[in-house]
Amino acid sequence: MVSPTPMEDAIREKITAALQPTTLEIHNDSHLHAHHAPMQGVTSKETHFRLIITSEAFRSKMQPARHRLVYSLLKDEMAQEGGIHALQLRTMTPEEEATRRAQEAGSE
């Protein structure tokens, strides 16, 4: 059986294998951008993604290096016709995620 979300499946598989994340949220925001001019005629429903990744692999790396790492993992998916058009990333270490969660809990 063919998956209805092959791009999301590839993202999950590659990031999990390479980064062993403690948190991996994949949000397919393609429907929010389907009306944009560059998307006219594109039949793929998996072009715009927002990822939240927490991994030890990001330790001692600045944000640009973290993002380059993720882009390198997904280079094939970004290069293919009808592939990833836009990728929004939030990359954190486990400590950064704990700090963010504590701040969010304190602001409620």
Side-chain angles (χ1 to χ4, degrees):
M1 182 171 149
V2 176
S3 171
T5 57
M7 193 65 64
E8 181 176 336
D9 296 345
I11 292 169
R12 181 171 284 104
E13 180 181 316
K14 289 184 174 189
I15 289 176
T16 300
L19 304 179
Q20 300 174 352
T22 53
T23 299
L24 175 57
E25 295 180 26
I26 302 174
H27 302 272
N28 184 344
D29 294 333
S30 303
H31 65 284
L32 301 173
H33 303 275
H35 66 284
H36 294 173
M39 296 292 95
Q40 298 305 307
V42 175
T43 58
S44 174
K45 301 295 184 208
E46 295 186 287
T47 56
H48 292 69
F49 288 93
R50 181 170 34 97
L51 308 180
I52 300 172
I53 309 166
T54 302
S55 174
E56 285 289 337
F58 296 140
R59 189 170 306 286
S60 77
K61 289 181 173 56
M62 301 296 286
Q63 288 295 335
R66 295 173 183 186
H67 290 201
R68 282 192 300 270
L69 176 59
V70 174
Y71 292 147
S72 72
L73 293 172
L74 302 176
K75 66 182 181 297
D76 293 339
E77 289 72 18
M78 294 178 80
Q80 73 186 44
E81 183 71 29
I84 298 172
H85 176 78
L87 189 60
Q88 180 182 347
L89 301 174
R90 176 179 238 174
T91 56
M92 299 170 282
T93 64
E95 292 79 12
E96 290 167 343
E97 180 179 35
T99 299
R100 179 182 65 92
R101 290 189 188 278
Q103 290 171 344
E104 288 175 355
S107 66
E108 292 178 358

